[in-house]
């Protein structure tokens, strides 16, 4: 087993272990009904477990030919991965800094749009219109879910909704 496959298996194992630990911690929360304060943690714990299992399954099924092709491009992709991580961290910092003064809907839409651009693979064309539409709709839906559904206030900023 080469280092790449081992790393993928370890990642899947840690994700599964974290999901199980989170699920066990969530089970200690008091339940009042089906949808209550513990509902979202249960959903997140289950998703973490499923992702861990999928990571383990897919990393175990990788073929040596696919791994050889992956190792050839590792040096080239390594530099771009660091750039992507740095850009993502910078976007998160700007998002946090501007959330209160500008407001959740606007900042979230802009953040999602820019994050989509950062995460677009280098050889793929950037779909500006699609990214903008998805970002705006997502920001509005998330804001309305928190405001109307959960009765929680998110910073409205300059919109003052």
């Amino acid at each position: 087993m080469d280092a790449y496959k081992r790393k993928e298996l370890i990642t899947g194992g840690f994700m599964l272990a974290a999901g199980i630990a989170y699920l066990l911690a969530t089970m200690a929360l008091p339940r009042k009904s089906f949808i209550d304060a513990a509902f979202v943690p249960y959903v997140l714990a289950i998703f973490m477990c499923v992702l861990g299992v999928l990571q383990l399954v897919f990393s175990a099924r990788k073929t040596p030919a696919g791994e050889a092709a992956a190792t050839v491009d590792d040096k080239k992709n390594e530099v771009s991965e660091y750039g992507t991580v740095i850009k993502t961290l910078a976007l998160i910092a700007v998002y946090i800094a501007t959330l209160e003064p500008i407001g959740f809907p606007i900042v979230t839409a802009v953040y999602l749009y820019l994050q989509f651009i950062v995460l677009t693979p280098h050889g793929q064309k950037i779909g500006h219109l699609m990214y903008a539409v998805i970002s705006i709709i997502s920001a509005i839906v998330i804001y309305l879910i928190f405001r109307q559904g959960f009765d929680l206030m998110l910073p409205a900023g300059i919109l003052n909704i």
Side-chain angles (χ1 to χ4, degrees), residues 7-20 48 52 55-56:
K7 185 173 93 171
E8 293 293 316
L9 287 170
I10 290 171
T11 302
F14 276 125
M15 182 62 104
L16 182 59
I20 291 171
M48 285 176 68
Q55 177 72 22
L56 286 171

Side-chain angles (χ1 to χ4, degrees), residues 48-63:
M48 285 176 68
C49 290
V50 168
L51 287 174
V53 168
L54 289 174
Q55 177 72 22
L56 286 171
V57 168
F58 287 124
S59 63
R61 289 177 39 183
K62 287 199 177 189
T63 61

Side-chain angles (χ1 to χ4, degrees), residues 5-153:
K5 190 171 186 175
R6 188 175 330 116
K7 185 173 93 171
E8 293 293 316
L9 287 170
I10 290 171
T11 302
F14 276 125
M15 182 62 104
L16 182 59
I20 291 171
Y22 192 61
L23 185 61
L24 292 174
T26 302
M27 288 180 179
L29 295 174
R31 299 297 309 251
K32 294 187 171 117
S33 65
F34 180 69
I35 297 182
D36 58 2
F39 178 74
V40 173
Y42 268 109
V43 171
L44 291 175
I46 291 169
F47 277 133
M48 285 176 68
C49 290
V50 168
L51 287 174
V53 168
L54 289 174
Q55 177 72 22
L56 286 171
V57 168
F58 287 124
S59 63
R61 289 177 39 183
K62 287 199 177 189
T63 61
E67 292 173 8
T71 56
V72 169
D73 292 330
D74 278 348
K75 298 284 186 199
K76 181 178 153 189
N77 290 336
E78 190 173 316
V79 174
S80 67
E81 288 175 7
Y82 287 131
T84 301
V85 170
I86 291 169
K87 289 174 190 173
T88 298
L89 291 175
L91 282 173
I92 291 171
V94 171
Y95 177 80
I96 292 169
T98 59
L99 185 61
E100 190 69 35
I102 297 176
F104 180 85
I106 295 172
V107 174
T108 301
V110 171
Y111 167 77
L112 288 174
Y113 173 75
L114 294 174
Q115 190 64 53
F116 289 153
I117 292 172
V118 167
L119 294 176
T120 300
H122 290 288
Q124 187 176 343
K125 182 181 176 192
I126 296 174
H128 292 287
L129 181 61
M130 180 179 66
Y131 292 169
V133 169
I134 292 171
S135 299
I136 292 169
I137 291 173
S138 298
I140 291 170
V141 168
I142 292 168
Y143 184 79
L144 290 176
I145 287 173
F146 274 87
R147 180 65 189 115
Q148 304 299 323
F150 298 138
D151 200 27
L152 295 172
M153 290 299 297

